[in-house]
Amino acid sequence: MIGWKVIFLLLSIGLLYLFSELLIRGAKELGIKLGFSRFVIGVVILGFGTSSPELFVSTVASLKNFPQIALGNIVGSNIFNILLILGLTSLLKPIKINDQSFRYDFPVLLVVTILYATLIFFNFFERWIGFIALILFISYMWFLFKKSTYEVDDDMISKFPLLVNIVFVIGGLVGLYFSSDLLITSASFIARYAGIEEKVISLTVVAVGTSLPELAVSLVSIFKKEYDFAVGNIVGSNIFNALLIGGLSVVFSSKISTTFEWLDALVFFMSVVFLWLFGRTQFKISRAEGAILLSFGIAYTFYLYLS
């Protein structure tokens, strides 16, 4: 039985990646057709698209009364996105940061992370907090679209007809729901069978699986020198994870109880602080800074399993 569950877990991760890629491609093409700017496509559309696995996994986990998996997936994904994904990509190639993104989105990410880390530290998650998070998310979206210039770059041309892009988006959403359900069922069974805390599974295996789209987008973006997409998709994804997905997870959970420790809250907070401090140095993340991020991410992962 456990062997089949491991196979189902790996299969669900692969399906999450494939369906999220389908959703990202369709959403990006729709954004181009609608005339959104590169900045909005990078932060909003790619940020939302790459967060779609987290959205489905955490929402389904909440509805099935697995709040530890729902919230652990968000915390783990945000940590993984910054420490491991940005650490790895900037180690391979220094990443330039859009000054517009640094002025507007980095402060939002920092404030949201401080609030979320505080909730984790005190293990305080109530439904009214979830509703506030959703209101903040809507306000953030309104702000982004309001300040966007809606200018399309010459090299941003849609490759597929409108109907094909719509099919990509719908197909990606449907596929993500079923693969998320398979991932949650498999992960929770393996955790119980192996005597591993759901927190550890959610912060590592589930978080890594749902963060594969961010990894793919960031790696492809740096080699294409589309740095707005490389950083924007991570920053946007982390904000979406905390406000939208975190808000929905708390609202939909009938019982909210977690086993987070102070170190989880600290790593969650410090990952964003490191990113903000490194971003201030000439609006880029150097290879040395990437190595620091990556080292902290690997050390934290080892700690989770060794402890």
Side-chain angles (χ1 to χ4, degrees):
M1 177 65 74
I2 185 65
W4 280 108
K5 290 298 182 180
V6 172
I7 293 175
F8 289 156
L9 177 67
L10 296 176
L11 176 63
S12 64
I13 291 176
L15 290 174
L16 278 173
Y17 175 77
L18 291 176
F19 285 119
S20 62
E21 280 295 295
L22 194 67
L23 175 61
I24 291 168
R25 175 168 295 186
K28 180 181 176 181
E29 297 279 327
L30 285 176
I32 294 173
K33 284 186 175 295
L34 293 173
F36 292 158
S37 68
R38 176 181 292 272
F39 172 73
V40 168
I41 291 176
V43 174
V44 180
I45 295 180
L46 287 184
F48 176 78
T50 54
S51 290
S52 52
E54 287 93 337
L55 173 62
F56 278 85
V57 168
S58 292
T59 302
V60 173
S62 297
L63 292 172
K64 290 194 169 187
N65 294 325
F66 290 109
Q68 183 66 62
I69 292 180
L71 296 175
N73 173 43
I74 297 168
V75 174
S77 293
N78 279 25
I79 293 173
F80 183 83
N81 285 348
I82 294 176
L83 295 184
L84 297 178
I85 294 181
L86 277 184
L88 175 62
T89 52
S90 56
L91 184 62
L92 295 174
K93 198 170 186 178
I95 299 178
K96 297 178 182 178
I97 297 177
N98 185 301
D99 59 343
Q100 186 181 19
S101 178
F102 188 82
R103 286 198 307 269
Y104 295 112
D105 299 302
F106 274 55
V108 173
L109 177 60
L110 184 59
V111 171
V112 168
T113 302
I114 291 173
L115 296 175
Y116 212 88
T118 303
L119 296 176
I120 295 170
F121 183 81
F122 291 103
N123 191 21
F124 184 75
F125 293 96
E126 299 288 342
R127 276 199 171 92
W128 63 268
I129 293 178
F131 285 114
I132 291 177
L134 293 176
I135 293 173
L136 291 175
F137 172 76
I138 294 173
S139 301
Y140 173 66
M141 288 295 97
W142 176 82
F143 170 75
L144 281 181
F145 281 106
K146 187 174 178 62
K147 73 182 179 65
S148 173
T149 58
Y150 296 97
E151 294 177 354
V152 181
D153 298 84
D154 293 335
D155 61 337
M156 291 174 58
I157 301 174
S158 180
K159 301 175 183 178
F160 299 100
L162 178 62
L163 182 60
V164 173
N165 295 324
I166 293 175
V167 171
F168 282 171
V169 171
I170 296 175
L173 290 172
V174 173
L176 281 170
Y177 173 80
F178 289 105
S179 52
S180 298
D181 184 69
L182 181 61
L183 175 63
I184 293 163
T185 303
S186 304
S188 60
F189 179 88
I190 292 172
R192 290 194 301 270
Y193 183 88
I196 302 174
E197 283 189 72
E198 284 186 351
K199 183 193 82 169
V200 176
I201 291 291
S202 62
L203 286 173
T204 54
V205 177
V206 177
V208 170
T210 56
S211 291
L212 288 178
E214 286 93 336
L215 175 60
V217 169
S218 293
L219 288 175
V220 171
S221 297
I222 62 168
F223 289 113
K224 288 185 176 182
K225 296 183 178 180
E226 295 179 331
Y227 301 108
D228 289 352
F229 293 162
V231 179
N233 111 83
I234 295 295
V235 174
S237 177
N238 280 20
I239 293 175
F240 287 7
N241 287 347
L243 293 181
L244 175 61
I245 304 173
L248 290 175
S249 298
V250 174
V251 168
F252 290 152
S253 292
S254 60
K255 181 182 178 182
I256 305 172
S257 178
T258 63
T259 59
F260 292 120
E261 300 174 357
W262 66 269
L263 184 61
D264 302 318
L266 180 62
V267 174
F268 182 73
F269 169 68
M270 289 305 300
S271 63
V272 176
V273 172
F274 278 130
L275 179 61
W276 183 73
L277 290 175
F278 293 161
R280 294 185 63 187
T281 58
Q282 301 178 345
F283 294 107
K284 73 174 184 179
I285 304 175
S286 66
R287 282 192 170 93
E289 293 166 340
I292 293 174
L293 293 175
L294 188 60
S295 298
F296 272 102
I298 294 174
Y300 176 63
T301 303
F302 272 107
Y303 165 80
L304 287 174
Y305 279 100
L306 292 177
S307 62

